[in-house]
């Protein structure tokens, strides 16, 4: 929120969530996820940061409550919104 680079903290959050799943496949996907996040940040000029903070908070709160449905719902909403925004940005940039 203060215009600072938060990619290291974002990476830590993703790593912690992956570790919490105890799913070895998810843990192995972290480098791919981080690369995708970096690309999304580049494509959107960091315009999704406020949205990401909100969804990350919802995900962490659900995990803290031991609410897998809530965590999954927040994660799906987060990924869906990011996907739509990135697709719109790609289309917008194609026009120029």
């Amino acid at each position: 929120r203060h215009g600072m680079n938060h990619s290291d903290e974002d990476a830590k959050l993703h790593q912690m969530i992956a570790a919490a799943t105890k799913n070895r496949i998810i843990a192995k996907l972290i480098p791919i996820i981080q690369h995708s996040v970096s690309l999304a940040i580049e494509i959107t000029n960091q315009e999704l940061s406020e949205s990401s903070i909100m969804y990350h908070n919802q995900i962490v709160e659900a995990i803290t409550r031991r609410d897998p449905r809530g965590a999954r719902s927040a994660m799906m909403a987060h990924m869906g919104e990011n996907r739509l925004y990135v697709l719109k940005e790609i289309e917008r940039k194609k026009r120029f």
Side-chain angles (χ1 to χ4, degrees), residues 10-96:
D10 189 72
K12 286 179 195 175
L13 176 65
H14 292 141
Q15 290 168 348
M16 291 172 68
I17 291 171
T21 69
K22 299 194 183 343
N23 181 323
R24 292 183 291 160
I25 294 170
I26 298 294
K28 297 222 183 258
L29 291 175
I30 288 299
I32 296 166
I33 292 168
Q34 284 310 122
H35 181 70
S36 298
V37 168
S38 295
L39 287 175
I41 289 170
E42 183 180 318
I43 289 169
T44 64
N45 298 315
Q46 296 186 345
E47 290 181 24
L48 285 172
S49 61
E50 278 299 315
S51 170
S52 292
I53 290 168
M54 178 194 71
Y55 283 117
H56 287 174
N57 283 334
Q58 289 177 2
I59 293 162
V60 169
E61 287 170 8
I63 290 169
T64 301
R65 288 191 315 268
R66 298 182 185 272
D67 176 6
R69 285 188 183 145
R72 178 184 171 92
S73 177
M75 180 62 76
M76 296 300 287
H78 178 38
M79 293 186 330
E81 181 172 317
N82 284 2
R83 180 180 176 275
L84 288 175
Y85 192 89
V86 167
L87 290 173
K88 286 179 186 175
E89 278 299 297
I90 289 170
E91 284 302 313
R92 188 184 70 76
K93 288 180 181 183
K94 280 183 183 177
R95 286 187 226 132
F96 294 104

